[in-house]
Amino acid sequence: MSWGGYSGSQGPLFYSTLPNGCMINLMMWSGNMKLTAMASALLFVLLGVSAQAQLPDSFSGWETTNFRPVSPDRLAEFVGGDAALLREYGVVTGEHREYSRADAKLAVTLWKMKDTSGSFGLYTFYREIGTASLEAGNRVAIWPNRLLIHHGPYLLDAQGASLTMGEAKRLLAGISPLRQDENLLPSL
């Protein structure tokens, strides 16, 4: 998200461009910094939309058959016993998509944690010995029917059909570019 501002004829005007391409214009009349209820509601709706739906509707012939956002307060409904683990690692939001291509099925979950150490912790919890590698700055764990990718504060978990790294990169393409501080693990 980027912010900017300038002085207009009726007072300061601020604008924001969200990762999904939406632009929000906020005007402050006479410097009161008051937003109308409608502008406030619109801002929260657009911010909520930009935080969700980062996985593509389709990629490499795969088409979405089901989409579900996963909020932290409904984790137990989605992950059962792993809900406490995700909370401990700092889950902020998640989304789950089911894809199909011909007769193949693929279930993809994207978790956003509050920082990179949380997503790295979740990655190390789920991966198995002998499955890990480093691919273009992302930590990757590959099984015949599962793929984990640690990407800054995100963890992508794809299960079902086997994916190529090229297909996995197309899945990650919808994620907002990482800020420099989002890809750093804490120093020891």
Side-chain angles (χ1 to χ4, degrees), residues 27-47:
M27 181 174 283
M28 293 184 288
W29 292 272
S30 303
N32 289 340
M33 296 190 66
K34 291 182 180 179
L35 298 176
T36 63
M38 183 183 290
S40 296
L42 179 62
L43 175 66
F44 289 116
V45 167
L46 290 174
L47 288 174

Side-chain angles (χ1 to χ4, degrees), residues 100-141:
S100 67
R101 179 172 69 184
D103 291 333
K105 304 279 184 219
L106 182 67
V108 180
T109 305
L110 179 67
W111 297 112
K112 181 174 184 187
M113 313 310 272
K114 67 180 176 182
D115 59 32
T116 299
S117 63
S119 59
F120 180 71
L122 192 58
Y123 168 81
T124 58
F125 180 81
Y126 284 137
R127 75 177 168 93
E128 294 176 6
I129 293 175
T131 61
S133 68
L134 196 60
E135 181 79 30
N138 297 313
R139 289 169 182 82
V140 179

